[in-house]
Amino acid sequence: MHNNIKYPILETLKEASKLDQSHDMWPGRDNAFHSFLSQGFPHKKLEKWRNTDLSEFLEKDYQYIPNTDPISESDINSIFHCEIHNFETYLFTLHNGAYVYKQSPITTLDNGVVIGSLRSAWESHNDLVKPYLNELTENMLNGMVSLNSALATAGLFVYVPDNVKVEKPVQLVNMINTDKNPFIQAKNLIVVGKNAELTFVQCDDSVNDQDSFMNVVSEFHLKEGAKLDHYKLQNKELSSVLINTSFFSLKKDSKLKTNTITLNGGNIRNETIVNLDGEGAEADIFGLYLADKTQHIDNQVLVRHNAANCYSNELFKGILDDEASAAFNGHILVQPEAQKTNAFQNNKNILLTDTAQVATKPFLEIYADDVKCSHGATVGQLDEDALFYLKQRGICDLNAKMLLMYAFAEDIIRHISIPSLHDSTSDMVSRRLKGELSACNQCVLHCNDQKPMEFDIDLSKI
Amino acid sequence: MAEQEMDALNEVTQNEYKYGFVTDIEMETIPKGLNEDVVRLISAKKEEPEFMLEFRLDAFRKWQAMDMPDWGHLNIPPIDFQEIIYFAAPKKQEKQSLDEVDPELLDTFNKLGIPLEEQKLLAGVAVDAVFDSVSVKTTFRESLAEKGIIFCSFSEAVKEYPDLIKKYLGKAVPNSDNYFAALNSAVFSDGSFVYIPKGVRCPMELSTYFRINAANTGQFERTLIVADENSYVSYLEGCTAPMRDENQLHAAIVEIITMDDAEVKYSTVQNWYPGDKNGKGGIYNFVTKRGLCKGRNSKISWTQVETGSAITWKYPSCLLVGDNSIGEFYSVAVTNNMQQADTGSKMIHIGKNTKSTIISKGISAGRSHNSYRGLVKVSKNAINSRNFTQCDSLLMGDQCGAHTWPYINVHNKSSIVEHEATTSKISDDQLFYCQQRGLDAEASIGLIVNGYAKEVLNKLPMEFAVEAQKLLAISLEGSVG
C-alpha cells in the first residue's frame, strides 16, 4: 500500500469489502480488493496521474454508499426529468449509484434487447452477462479500477443481440442527490452483438453541491461489424469528483464513435481505453472540455492497435478560464502485427487567463513499420486576425470572442449525430461560453428553456 | 519490399564501424572502483584547488543517495560502477608543441581526420582533443588569446582561471541535477572550457574531439562554455571509440551560459561505437547538456546528429531565463541493429517573449528503438512565449520501434505552443519516383533520408554537414524494410 493509508475512507472500504463478499455476486472481487490494496489510491508520483491530485479530495470525510439492489422509481420522480426537445430515449437512471426501475429491474424489448440492472441481470440473464463481465477491465491499470471491481455491483447492463438495430438511443443518467457526502462505485456493461447498432448516452450529473466522489467503470464489447455511437455528457458541481474509466473492445470491422463533452466538472478524470482487436475496426474518439473556476479535467486516452488495417482518430479540444486546469494524455500503441495502421491524435487548447493551465502529452509508441501515425497538440489563444476581422464587421469584442470560441467547440459538436442532442448540446455550449450555464439543478442537458440560445448578432448585417 | 531494396538495406546496416581501432599507447590509470578516496585521488592528480574537491565530494555524496533513472524507454543492463576505471590518461602530458605529442596519438587523431596539425590550419578550426580522460592538445590557443578568448582544457582552466570556473561551474547543470550528472560532477576528468569576452565574435569554429581508447574506462568529461555580453561562438563536438565487446560508460556534461545578446551554437556529431549487430558492446551515452540563456536576447542553439552509441540517453535543453531569449534544438537520431535511443529536448520558458524551436528527426532501422522525449514548459511569467515543435519518425524495417513522448505544460494565456509529429515509413511512391529516374534502391533511400533530415543537416557548420551526410549514408546503407 502506498503512502495514502491515512485517508479516512480507507477503513470503511476495507469493512465494505468484507461485507460485500458475502453477497452472491460475481467472483474475483476479493482479488480485486487485494489489487487495490497493493496499488493504493492513485497518487501524483504515478506517471499517468501526475496532473491529477486526488489527495486533497480523499482527505475529506466521505460516506461510503454500498451498492444496493434496484430501487423503485417513485422515490426519485420528483428530482429528475430530462427535457431535451424531441429527445426520445430509453431512459435509465442510477441514483446515488443505485439502479432505478419503473416496472421491473430488467426490460426485454421485442427485438431481444435486454436492458436493466447489472446486479439483477447477473441473476436472471447470467448466460448473457458472464461471458463479458470483467473481460476488459484491467485491475492493474490503477487503484481506482481495482477498487471498482471489488465493490461496484450496481450499474447498467445493455445487451443488443446480433443484427439488431436499436432505434432509440439508450440513455443512462448517473445522478447524485443526497445530503451525505457520498463515495459511490458503479459499473456498466454494454454488449453490442454482430452487425448490431446502438446509440448510448451517458449523463453524469450532480444535483446539490455536496462533496461527492464517484468512481465508474464501463465495459463496451463491440462484436464483429457492430456499431456504437457513444456520448458522455458531464455537468458536475465544483466539489464533485468523477473518475470515469471506459474499456472498449472492437472486433473485426466494428465501428466506435465516442464523444466526451464536459461542460462543468469539479474534478473529472476520463480514462478511455480502446482496444482495436479485429482487422478493419475503426474508432473515432472526440472530446470537448470547457472549464472555469478551479475545475480540473483530465482526459486519458489509450488506443491499442492490436490488429492490422485499423483506424483511430482522436480529437480533443478545450477552453480553460479562471484557474481551471486540464490535462490530456493520449497514447497510441501500435503492436508489431498491426501493419497498415492509420492513427491520428490531436489536442487543441485555448487558455483565456494567465492562471489557467494545461498539460498535454500526445504520445506515440509504434512497433510496426507500415503505419501512418501523426499527432499534434497546440496551446494558444483566439486568432487575432480572425478576431480583428469580426470586429471590423461591427461585432463587439465579446461577441466576436464568443463566436470564435463557439466555432472552436463546434469541431466536436458537429460529430454528434442525434439531431436533438446536437442542437441542445450546441445550445448549451453557447450558453456555457456566455457564462449562463453552471452545473444545473436539473438533468445534465439543462433544457428547460424553450428559447434556443442566440448570439446578439444581427446576422443579416454580416 | 523488393529484394533489391532489402539487399541495399542489408548492405547499409551491415556496414562496419570504421573508427573501431585501438591505439597502443602507454596509459596511466588508477585502480577501478568508486569511493570518496577515488574522488579525492582524481582531484589530487589534477592538482585542483579546494573548492573543486568540495564540489566533487558534494556531488558524490548526493549521487550515492540517488537511483539510476528508469523512466526512459530503454533497456539498460545493470551497470557495476565499481568495475569502471574512473581515470585514464596518456602517460606523457603537458605538451607545448605538436612535436612533443606522442606520435602514436597524433596518428590516432589523423586516422580520425581530426585537424590537430598545421595542415588543418586551412580548415580554420581550433581543436581541443580529449583522449580518454585527458585533454591532449588544444590548437590555436594563442591566436584566440589575442582576442581575449579562452579555449583550453578544463584542468588548465581550473588552475589558471579559478574565479571563472567557480562562478559558472554547475550553474546550468547543478551537481545533483540527475544521477549521471552527479556521477560526472564527482569524477569528471577533463573537458574543455571556453570563455568569449564581451563583444567578441569568435573568428573560427571551436571544436572538441572525444576519444575513448582504454578498456574498462568510463569517460566523464565536462564542457563549460560562457559567452559574455554580445559575443558569439560556434562549437563543434565529435566522438568515437574502439570496438570492444564490453560496454563502456560515457557520462558527460555540457553547460552553456549566455549573457545579454550573446549567442552560442553547439553542434554534435555523435558516433560512439554502437556495438555489433547483435548488440554486443558499444557505448552507453548518458549525457546531460543544458544551456542557460541568462541574458536578454541571448540565444542557444543545439544541433545534433546521433548515429552511434549502444544506448543514448540525452536531452539537450535550454533554460530561457532572459527576456526575448531563444532556444533551438535540431536533431537527427539514427538507430540501427540493437541500438536504443531516448533523446529529445527540454525548453523551459521563464523570461518574457522567449522563443523556442524543436525539430527532431528520428530514423529507426533493424531491431532498434528510437524515442523522442521532450518537454516544453511555459511558466506563468513567460508571457508572449512561442514554441514550435516538430518531431518526425521514419521506420525502416518491421522489427524496430519509434516512440514520441512530448510533454507540454502551459501556464499563461498569451503563449502559443504547437507540437506536431508524424511516424511513417518511406513511401513506396517516393521510392518508385526515384527509381524510375534511374537511381538504384539504395541511392534512392539515401536521397530520401537525406532529404528527410535536410532541415537539421542544414543547421550544421559546413565541415560537419559533409561528415554528417556521409555518416547518415553509412549508418543507413540498405536500411529499407
Side-chain angles (χ1 to χ4, degrees):
Chain A
M1 184 89 200
H2 288 270
N3 51 356
N4 43 32
I5 199 128
K6 57 184 189 284
Y7 298 131
I9 190 75
L10 194 68
E11 283 311 310
T12 323
L13 294 177
K14 280 183 181 165
E15 286 303 309
S17 85
K18 280 179 215 150
L19 288 178
D20 234 34
Q21 303 305 333
S22 59
H23 271 81
D24 186 22
M25 233 18 93
W26 47 85
R29 290 183 301 137
D30 206 19
N31 285 342
F33 198 76
H34 285 300
S35 161
F36 163 68
L37 286 180
S38 67
Q39 294 178 85
F41 284 106
H43 48 89
K44 284 194 85 172
K45 290 263 167 76
L46 295 173
E47 171 68 22
K48 283 192 156 187
W49 290 80
R50 61 208 299 266
N51 298 308
T52 297
D53 189 7
L54 292 179
S55 62
E56 156 196 5
F57 299 100
L58 288 167
E59 271 156 21
K60 290 183 182 171
D61 202 12
Y62 288 114
Q63 186 154 3
Y64 173 72
I65 301 193
N67 283 168
T68 57
D69 286 325
I71 54 170
S72 163
E73 188 191 37
S74 54
D75 308 336
I76 67 145
N77 237 353
S78 54
I79 305 161
F80 174 82
H81 60 290
C82 181
E83 281 188 0
I84 297 186
H85 313 301
N86 310 319
F87 188 37
E88 281 182 33
T89 60
Y90 298 111
L91 176 66
F92 300 89
T93 312
L94 286 180
H95 181 237
N96 299 334
Y99 183 85
V100 181
Y101 63 91
K102 283 176 191 156
Q103 279 99 25
S104 133
I106 299 277
T107 312
T108 307
L109 304 179
D110 294 341
N111 50 17
V113 175
V114 180
I115 312 175
S117 148
L118 180 60
R119 207 168 160 117
S120 309
W122 173 255
E123 282 155 26
S124 62
H125 293 78
N126 194 275
D127 56 321
L128 293 184
V129 178
K130 205 175 175 185
Y132 304 102
L133 187 68
N134 287 331
E135 281 303 301
L136 301 176
T137 302
E138 296 162 28
N139 282 332
M140 291 314 288
L141 188 75
N142 60 52
M144 297 315 297
V145 174
S146 49
L147 179 66
N148 184 287
S149 299
L151 299 179
T153 51
L156 184 72
F157 171 66
V158 180
Y159 180 85
V160 185
D162 295 353
N163 305 313
V164 170
K165 238 189 213 176
V166 183
E167 299 289 336
K168 280 196 288 185
V170 173
Q171 186 186 7
L172 173 67
V173 176
N174 191 351
M175 192 171 43
I176 295 177
N177 178 35
T178 165
D179 46 9
K180 300 164 190 162
N181 294 340
F183 189 95
I184 301 173
Q185 315 285 321
K187 172 147 190 131
N188 304 311
L189 174 64
I190 282 84
V191 181
V192 189
K194 285 181 190 164
N195 301 316
E197 285 182 29
L198 174 70
T199 301
F200 183 57
V201 182
Q202 211 176 335
C203 304
D204 286 298
D205 194 22
S206 53
V207 171
N208 43 35
D209 51 4
Q210 234 72 42
D211 289 343
S212 65
F213 196 111
M214 182 100 199
N215 181 24
V216 186
V217 172
S218 308
E219 285 186 49
F220 297 87
H221 296 259
L222 276 71
K223 294 208 219 167
E224 285 82 351
K227 262 191 196 166
L228 174 65
D229 209 357
H230 176 237
Y231 301 92
K232 274 205 296 264
L233 300 167
Q234 302 170 329
N235 200 24
K236 300 281 282 185
E237 288 293 342
L238 203 56
S239 53
S240 66
V241 179
L242 173 65
I243 315 275
N244 213 328
T245 314
S246 306
F247 296 94
F248 294 90
S249 164
L250 275 69
K251 294 286 185 303
K252 194 169 182 295
D253 297 325
S254 59
K255 277 197 176 73
L256 165 71
K257 189 167 85 181
T258 170
N259 226 315
T260 305
I261 294 177
T262 312
L263 296 175
N264 281 296
N267 199 305
I268 290 194
R269 181 184 164 99
N270 291 310
E271 188 144 358
T272 307
I273 291 104
V274 178
N275 292 296
L276 298 165
D277 294 328
E279 279 199 35
E282 292 181 13
D284 278 310
I285 304 148
F286 301 117
L288 173 68
Y289 43 97
L290 311 173
D292 61 7
K293 303 193 192 79
T294 54
Q295 296 172 357
H296 175 77
I297 296 166
D298 182 352
N299 279 298
Q300 306 270 328
V301 183
L302 164 60
V303 179
R304 293 198 188 101
H305 280 263
N306 299 327
N309 279 312
C310 291
Y311 162 90
S312 71
N313 180 23
E314 286 166 46
L315 177 62
F316 277 75
K317 294 186 121 183
I319 302 177
L320 302 169
D321 202 350
D322 298 340
E323 285 150 51
S325 56
F328 172 79
N329 190 349
H331 180 179
I332 295 175
L333 170 65
V334 181
Q335 300 286 12
E337 52 277 15
Q339 298 290 2
K340 306 270 178 211
T341 285
N342 279 323
F344 309 99
Q345 194 182 45
N346 214 329
N347 175 230
K348 295 182 183 211
N349 298 282
I350 290 182
L351 295 185
L352 298 177
T353 64
D354 279 338
T355 43
Q357 47 176 289
V358 63
T360 167
K361 190 181 85 171
F363 164 38
L364 300 176
E365 188 177 4
I366 296 164
Y367 298 95
D369 68 328
D370 192 359
V371 298
K372 240 186 232 165
C373 294
S374 73
H375 67 185
T378 57
V379 181
Q381 307 78 43
L382 299 173
D383 184 353
E384 288 293 324
D385 292 343
L387 204 56
F388 177 73
Y389 179 88
L390 289 174
K391 279 154 81 173
Q392 198 191 27
R393 266 148 190 79
I395 299 171
C396 75
D397 186 65
L398 188 71
N399 269 316
K401 281 182 178 159
M402 290 298 161
L403 263 183
L404 287 177
M405 280 194 275
Y406 180 77
F408 178 82
E410 163 67 19
D411 236 1
I412 304 293
I413 300 169
R414 70 191 170 87
H415 291 293
I416 300 176
S417 38
I418 310 167
S420 56
L421 187 62
H422 172 273
D423 295 347
S424 69
T425 311
S426 160
D427 185 48
M428 277 195 308
V429 167
S430 21
R431 211 176 281 283
R432 175 70 179 80
L433 292 172
K434 285 195 92 180
E436 290 180 9
L437 176 76
S438 55
C440 59
N441 294 334
Q442 270 294 330
C443 94
V444 69
L445 297 171
H446 187 81
C447 31
N448 288 329
D449 292 289
Q450 296 298 317
K451 203 173 83 178
M453 174 71 193
E454 271 170 15
F455 291 103
D456 308 328
I457 299 159
D458 185 353
L459 289 169
S460 63
K461 289 182 185 161
I462 295 181
Chain B
M1 187 57 56
E3 206 172 297
Q4 196 188 1
E5 284 163 18
M6 278 311 287
D7 289 348
L9 185 63
N10 289 337
E11 205 176 305
V12 175
T13 49
Q14 280 159 19
N15 210 290
E16 299 237 326
Y17 187 70
K18 66 174 177 174
Y19 304 106
F21 56 87
V22 180
T23 310
D24 187 13
I25 197 163
E26 253 192 296
M27 297 298 290
E28 184 195 0
T29 56
I30 61 171
K32 62 189 178 186
L34 181 58
N35 51 46
E36 278 206 18
D37 291 341
V38 170
V39 176
R40 283 175 202 278
L41 182 64
I42 293 171
S43 188
K45 273 197 178 294
K46 308 194 73 71
E47 299 162 22
E48 287 176 350
E50 188 61 25
F51 81 90
M52 281 304 299
L53 179 62
E54 270 165 30
F55 179 83
R56 287 173 184 275
L57 288 174
D58 184 43
F60 180 68
R61 284 166 198 150
K62 286 171 176 162
W63 177 76
Q64 281 178 311
M66 290 174 159
D67 291 321
M68 198 157 125
D70 58 359
W71 40 259
H73 191 80
L74 299 169
N75 178 15
I76 307 173
I79 299 170
D80 186 348
F81 289 94
Q82 298 305 334
E83 281 298 310
I84 294 171
I85 298 168
Y86 286 87
F87 186 83
K91 244 185 183 153
K92 289 178 233 158
Q93 285 185 40
E94 297 296 317
K95 306 293 176 282
Q96 290 311 308
S97 78
L98 281 176
D99 302 338
E100 289 177 45
V101 175
D102 191 321
E104 207 37 83
L105 230 168
L106 278 184
D107 205 37
T108 302
F109 281 106
N110 282 338
K111 262 197 233 173
L112 295 169
I114 312 304
L116 265 184
E117 302 227 45
E118 281 109 82
Q119 49 170 347
K120 302 293 182 179
L121 266 171
L122 296 169
V125 178
V127 176
D128 181 16
V130 178
F131 194 79
D132 284 321
S133 293
V134 166
S135 173
V136 289
K137 181 68 202 162
T138 308
T139 60
F140 284 105
R141 239 180 109 169
E142 292 78 17
S143 51
L144 290 170
E146 280 169 26
K147 291 199 166 257
I149 297 171
I150 302 169
F151 179 39
C152 63
S153 74
F154 207 92
S155 8
E156 282 174 280
V158 168
K159 285 178 206 153
E160 291 172 32
Y161 313 99
D163 293 347
L164 283 176
I165 298 289
K166 209 169 176 176
K167 190 169 170 191
Y168 295 113
L169 180 69
K171 287 293 174 292
V173 183
N175 65 4
S176 59
D177 186 76
N178 66 63
Y179 190 76
F180 297 109
L183 179 64
N184 175 290
S185 300
V187 301
F188 75 93
S189 36
D190 211 337
S192 310
F193 174 70
V194 178
Y195 176 81
I196 316 288
K198 281 183 193 173
V200 172
R201 194 181 164 87
C202 185
M204 60 183 83
E205 319 246 277
L206 302 183
S207 163
T208 308
Y209 203 90
F210 297 110
R211 171 85 182 161
I212 295 178
N213 189 57
N216 300 321
T217 55
Q219 177 142 336
F220 305 93
E221 82 280 348
R222 193 164 181 121
T223 306
L224 175 59
I225 301 172
V226 180
D228 217 325
E229 284 170 31
N230 203 17
S231 64
Y232 169 85
V233 64
S234 165
Y235 195 92
L236 321 175
E237 175 201 275
C239 28
T240 57
M243 291 162 73
R244 294 188 192 279
D245 280 349
E246 74 272 16
N247 299 106
Q248 278 177 289
L249 177 63
H250 172 250
I253 290 181
V254 178
E255 287 185 276
I256 302 176
I257 297 160
T258 50
M259 304 304 172
D260 289 358
D261 304 303
E263 180 180 348
V264 174
K265 186 178 160 81
Y266 194 102
S267 314
T268 310
V269 172
Q270 186 263 104
N271 189 22
W272 295 114
Y273 176 54
D276 70 3
K277 266 186 305 199
N278 300 314
K280 198 167 187 199
I283 304 289
Y284 295 161
N285 190 34
F286 302 151
V287 179
T288 307
K289 292 184 171 182
R290 192 169 305 147
L292 174 61
C293 285
K294 200 171 175 205
R296 290 169 44 246
N297 309 323
S298 60
K299 179 176 174 184
I300 292 175
S301 171
W302 299 99
T303 308
Q304 60 172 23
V305 176
E306 301 274 322
T307 58
S309 297
I311 304 176
T312 303
W313 181 95
K314 90 180 217 194
Y315 314 92
S317 317
C318 295
L319 288 165
L320 304 169
V321 176
D323 292 350
N324 312 325
S325 56
I326 299 173
E328 290 177 347
F329 174 76
Y330 300 98
S331 164
V332 175
V334 184
T335 54
N336 203 344
N337 298 323
M338 296 294 281
Q339 277 176 275
Q340 306 174 56
D342 195 301
T343 181
S345 180
K346 285 195 276 189
M347 294 291 173
I348 317 287
H349 293 255
I350 298 167
K352 297 185 181 84
N353 307 320
T354 46
K355 287 195 179 69
S356 63
T357 308
I358 297 175
I359 308 283
S360 165
K361 305 272 181 181
I363 302 168
S364 31
R367 284 172 288 162
S368 67
H369 285 277
N370 197 332
S371 309
Y372 168 85
R373 183 186 304 273
L375 168 69
V376 176
K377 180 165 182 160
V378 179
S379 65
K380 204 168 154 185
N381 297 325
I383 55 170
N384 293 323
S385 293
R386 187 85 175 83
N387 161 268
F388 175 74
T389 303
Q390 185 185 355
C391 45
D392 296 335
S393 306
L394 198 59
L395 290 154
M396 299 187 169
D398 52 7
Q399 293 177 62
C400 54
H403 319 296
T404 321
W405 319 63
Y407 289 78
I408 301 166
N409 291 307
V410 183
H411 293 252
N412 72 45
K413 66 168 179 180
S414 51
S415 300
I416 300 178
V417 176
E418 287 173 279
H419 175 98
E420 59 181 53
T422 59
T423 302
S424 57
K425 61 171 200 164
I426 291 180
S427 84
D428 293 339
D429 293 350
Q430 285 172 324
L431 267 182
F432 177 72
Y433 181 88
C434 293
Q435 286 177 278
Q436 196 193 28
R437 265 144 190 83
L439 294 174
D440 62 24
E442 193 179 316
S444 308
I445 293 159
L447 189 70
I448 294 165
V449 170
N450 257 305
Y452 168 76
K454 198 92 201 165
E455 238 177 307
V456 174
L457 297 179
N458 279 345
K459 300 284 174 185
L460 286 170
M462 187 62 171
E463 308 79 32
F464 256 35
V466 177
E467 195 187 327
Q469 276 189 18
K470 271 192 243 158
L471 202 57
L472 207 59
I474 290 168
S475 296
L476 282 175
E477 257 170 50
S479 302
V480 172

